[in-house]
Amino acid sequence: MSVNTSFANVVPVDKVPLPPPDAKVFPTACDYCIVGCGYKVYRWPVGQEGGPKAHENAFGVNYPTAILSGKWPTPNQHNIVFADGRPHHIIVIPDGDIRVVNKGGNHSIRGGNICQKVYSPDKPTADRLKTPLLRVRNTLQPISWDDALRITAEVGRHVIDAYGELAWGMKTYSYQFFENTYAITKLALVAVETPCWAHHDKPSAMADATGLEDIGIDSFGPSYEDYALAEVLLISGTDPYETKTVLFTEWIMKGKAKVIMVLPRKSTGVAYAERTGGLFLQIIP
């Protein structure tokens, strides 16, 4: 009988260092869904640590403080990375001072783990690619970014010259930030002028809810406040508690709407709907 020993050397973490008052702070946002919850990144050199008094830490609060306040970092919100060639502590935590979207530091489980996907040589992210790779005789060889861009451009040029822009296509992510998507979108739609372009989860440049726009409904039209003010919410094919957690917990659950869930299975959102006077309409395959 084989025994799974993948967790045999895991040491439980029962302490997270606090950032000192002079820690560098960067505003950011969660990139896991379209809600766009606000976060802050705290970074400071290894070997330094803040204290529990308000004047001793970058959060400016006395400890202990409320756990879900955007001021109490968990082990999953701490990592060690390299910056300027030196190891640094890093904490990525919901912004406890925010007054919109994820008010007061609310967050999803996914958002609470953002820090763990930052590259660290001592974490699972250590296997992340650090350079482009080119397959040579069935073996991947590291190459420079200049070579990768030149090869990509020349292959693309050949395809367009030989077969036309319809033969050149691009699938691109859409849950990242505008600065990241602008250049590659402009390349496809302006420079190459190909219609073969789509977001990561669609076969073409189509709406998220096919047909709704044809009847005058913008699937991303409502503000978050609309979810709280609505009398009835019909949610079909998804459970925003699982996919857009803060939208559900911060706006739907704090509103007055009766929720109707149309899904093939019972989910956490369905349980909430049934408990609060809503309905579960099961899709039978």
Side-chain angles (χ1 to χ4, degrees):
M1 181 180 68
S2 62
V3 178
N4 186 348
T5 60
S6 58
F7 295 98
N9 297 320
V10 173
V11 178
V13 177
D14 59 3
K15 182 179 183 294
V16 176
L18 292 174
D22 60 348
K24 291 187 176 181
V25 184
F26 309 91
T28 186
C30 178
D31 56 356
Y32 275 117
C33 82
I34 57 92
V35 174
C37 293
Y39 279 70
K40 282 183 178 178
V41 179
Y42 295 82
R43 192 186 74 193
W44 70 100
V46 169
Q48 302 178 21
E49 186 172 338
K53 301 297 183 182
H55 68 278
E56 297 174 336
N57 63 77
F59 294 119
V61 296
N62 291 313
Y63 285 87
T65 187
I67 294 176
L68 295 178
S69 63
K71 308 289 184 180
W72 185 287
T74 70
N76 280 338
Q77 293 166 345
H78 171 257
N79 208 337
I80 293 180
V81 302
F82 275 80
D84 301 322
R86 298 172 54 200
H88 281 67
H89 292 285
I90 186 173
I91 284 177
V92 184
I93 192 169
D95 186 351
D97 300 319
I98 204 166
R99 293 295 175 262
V100 295
V101 190
N102 57 321
K103 296 185 290 186
N106 194 359
H107 65 91
S108 67
I109 293 176
R110 292 168 297 171
N113 288 271
I114 291 175
C115 199
Q116 294 307 306
K117 70 177 185 178
V118 179
Y119 174 79
S120 175
D122 298 320
K123 294 290 182 71
T125 50
D127 65 355
R128 186 170 295 165
L129 297 179
K130 304 179 185 65
T131 181
L133 300 178
L134 178 67
R135 189 177 296 278
V136 180
R137 295 182 179 178
N138 207 34
T139 301
L140 292 174
Q141 301 288 343
I143 61 175
S144 69
W145 281 104
D146 286 342
D147 287 341
L149 290 172
R150 186 178 301 110
I151 292 170
T152 301
E154 292 180 359
V155 170
R157 181 78 271 172
H158 167 75
V159 170
I160 295 170
D161 289 343
Y163 306 104
E165 64 273 9
L166 291 177
W168 191 99
M170 175 182 286
K171 287 278 283 185
T172 179
Y173 49 81
S174 63
Y175 282 174
Q176 273 282 355
F177 306 115
F178 177 81
E179 292 84 352
N180 295 344
T181 60
Y182 175 77
I184 56 177
T185 303
K186 187 174 182 180
L187 170 64
L189 302 182
V190 177
V192 178
E193 295 185 329
T194 179
C196 303
W197 173 90
H199 294 116
H200 65 96
D201 59 343
K202 301 179 182 66
S204 63
M206 58 190 295
D208 281 77
T210 306
L212 283 185
E213 291 183 354
D214 296 331
I215 60 175
I217 298 176
D218 183 354
S219 55
F220 280 116
S223 71
Y224 296 158
E225 189 177 18
D226 289 332
Y227 287 88
L229 298 176
E231 295 181 0
V232 177
L233 288 173
L234 174 62
I235 301 173
S236 177
T238 184
D239 180 355
Y241 181 84
E242 298 176 348
T243 61
K244 301 172 180 62
T245 307
V246 169
L247 174 62
F248 198 94
T249 59
E250 191 65 40
W251 300 94
I252 294 177
M253 291 181 67
K254 293 183 179 179
K256 59 181 180 180
K258 299 297 183 184
V259 179
I260 302 173
M261 300 288 288
V262 184
L263 286 170
R265 62 177 179 86
K266 282 200 170 186
S267 62
T268 307
V270 168
Y272 169 83
E274 292 184 322
R275 190 175 67 248
T276 55
L279 294 173
F280 171 44
L281 304 180
Q282 187 173 20
I283 299 173
I284 307 297

